[in-house]
Structures are given as structure tokens and as C-alpha cells.
Amino acid sequence: MKKIIILIAIILLLGGGGFAGWWFFLKAPDSEEEVVEEIPEIPSAFLEFPPTVIHLIKEGVVTHHVTVKITIEVAEGADLINAERWQIRLQNDFMTELHSLYYYRYFTQDGYVNDKITKRLIDVADKVMGKGAVRDVELLIEGITKPSNS
């Protein structure tokens, strides 16, 4: 009698597990599907900073003048208004970061514009405007000159 009860319990457990597996994994979904509307993409706006000269200094002597132009990509609307409001601080922070990065050969071994430098400029913009406000930063080198005293 005990064996029959144990056998029936095992069959019920296996049957219940099979039914649960079918219910959750193999059963076709109901015809009423949730329709998820995609949030429309906010168009991008670009804010250009005026060209700025960065002086590269080695051992107390200016070795090069690098003229850079920075353009940031933000969403239209509130992000663009904030970017225009913070433009002077962003430019100062960008220049500070570029001065510190161009000092190290690690960042400039691939040239004055590369992914490492662009990523650091995006991090600077995130600190000023909030994470994700700036979509991209474009860094353009307009010229590299040597000072007249070298």
C-alpha cells in the first residue's frame, strides 16, 4: 500500500512538472499581445566651440601650438539650451583636459585626435551637464605650428 501511494505521488509530481513546463515554455501566447510604442528619437543638435590654441610645453618651453575646434552633439530642446548655458565652462574644462592629455605621450602616440581623447572629452561633458546629455564630441585639429622662438 505504501508503494502504491509513493508511486502515485511520483506520477503526480512528474505530471505536474510536465504541465508546468508546457504552460510556461511551450504554450502559444494569447492573441492579445502588448503593443509597445517606441519613443521617438529626439533629433540631434550641434554646438560648435570657437577654435582654441593649446600650447604644448616640454621642460618649461613651448614646443607646439595646436589649434583645435570642438563640436558637441546633444539632443534638441533642453539639452541644447543647457549646453549653450554651460558653453564657457565646457570649453574651459575641455581645454584643461586636452592640456593634461597632450602632455602624456600615451594619448598622442596615435595623433592628437583618437578614441581615447574623445572618450575623455565625453566624460568631461558628462561631469558638467549630466550623464548622457552629450551624445558625441568631435575634435578637429585645424593646425599645428611651432612657436617663432624655437
Side-chain angles (χ1 to χ4, degrees):
M1 185 68 167
K2 287 182 181 180
K3 290 182 181 181
I4 293 175
I5 293 174
I6 293 174
L7 187 60
I8 291 173
I10 291 174
I11 290 173
L12 286 174
L13 282 174
L14 289 175
F19 178 75
W22 171 80
W23 181 265
F24 291 111
F25 300 114
L26 301 177
K27 179 183 166 192
D30 296 335
S31 61
E32 298 177 19
E33 295 182 18
E34 287 186 32
V35 177
V36 179
E37 294 183 23
E38 292 185 23
I39 300 173
E41 175 98 12
I42 298 173
S44 294
F46 298 90
L47 181 64
E48 290 186 4
F49 293 88
T52 306
V53 176
I54 297 178
H55 309 284
L56 302 183
I57 300 172
K58 293 279 185 183
E59 299 176 2
V61 177
V62 176
T63 59
H64 293 85
H65 299 291
V66 180
T67 306
V68 298
K69 187 172 183 181
I70 298 174
T71 304
I72 62 172
E73 176 185 359
V74 296
E76 285 185 351
D79 287 340
L80 178 60
I81 293 169
N82 285 336
E84 289 171 346
R85 184 179 300 146
W86 290 104
Q87 184 173 4
I88 294 173
R89 180 171 175 201
L90 280 170
Q91 184 173 7
N92 288 339
D93 289 354
F94 286 154
M95 294 307 114
T96 302
E97 189 69 18
L98 287 174
H99 271 287
S100 65
L101 292 177
Y102 287 166
Y103 180 75
Y104 297 106
R105 184 174 294 168
Y106 168 75
F107 289 102
T108 58
Q109 65 189 359
D110 299 330
Y112 292 107
V113 177
N114 59 44
D115 291 337
K116 294 178 269 190
I117 293 173
T118 303
K119 171 79 173 86
R120 292 284 292 265
L121 292 178
I122 291 173
D123 290 344
V124 167
D126 285 344
K127 288 178 186 174
V128 173
M129 295 186 52
K131 189 119 178 103
V134 174
R135 294 179 177 175
D136 194 19
V137 174
E138 179 185 7
L139 178 65
L140 178 67
I141 303 298
E142 291 191 338
I144 300 173
T145 58
K146 288 193 173 206
S148 59
N149 63 354
S150 62

